[in-house]
Amino acid sequence: YPGPSLIIAYAPCINHGIKKGMSKAQTEEQLAVECGYWNNFRFNPAAENKFTLDSKAPTASYRDFIMGEVRYNSLTRAFPERAEKLFEKAEKAAADRYEHLVRLQEVYGEK
């Protein structure tokens, strides 16, 4: 495409508090996609198939993924009831986002 490109990526940092350690950042990125926390897709206005959803439907546990990061895990100790409600809401939002991306793929039509 002869125009500008924009890449938005999930890149864990030390402040996320990855329990496995920053040496496992790429594994964490993969888990984010597998559980639906992050979705990979492409949009190219010049292509025949303008929108491509590269992520598959989530196969891993959303909850297990977020509990692997101190920033979320610490919330369960400080505010357990509130954390549970927020985690449920976040998991539903992730599922809704994926369904929206699936619909976009249908709208732009795979040819």
Side-chain angles (χ1 to χ4, degrees):
Y1 179 68
S5 294
L6 175 66
I7 298 172
I8 303 172
Y10 174 72
C13 71
I14 198 162
N15 289 333
H16 289 181
I18 299 171
K19 289 183 175 184
K20 298 175 200 102
M22 283 304 294
S23 66
K24 300 293 184 183
Q26 287 180 321
T27 303
E28 194 72 2
E29 293 164 0
Q30 180 180 357
L31 288 172
V33 173
E34 289 174 354
C35 77
Y37 183 87
W38 191 263
N39 296 291
N40 293 323
F41 58 89
R42 293 175 276 158
F43 184 81
N44 181 350
E48 185 175 340
N49 294 328
K50 295 180 183 347
F51 181 83
T52 305
L53 178 59
D54 297 312
S55 294
K56 308 277 188 265
T59 57
S61 168
Y62 188 90
R63 184 65 57 100
D64 288 348
F65 171 74
I66 61 176
M67 287 299 104
E69 295 188 4
V70 174
R71 63 183 176 152
Y72 294 121
N73 194 287
S74 63
L75 190 58
T76 61
R77 290 188 301 281
F79 306 100
E81 299 84 21
R82 192 172 189 186
E84 184 60 33
K85 289 178 186 174
L86 289 171
F87 294 160
E88 287 174 7
K89 189 175 180 178
E91 189 168 8
K92 181 176 180 340
D96 291 347
R97 261 192 320 276
Y98 183 78
E99 290 306 315
H100 175 73
L101 293 172
V102 168
R103 285 192 304 274
L104 281 178
Q105 192 165 6
E106 292 166 2
V107 167
Y108 285 105
E110 291 195 61
K111 300 179 183 183

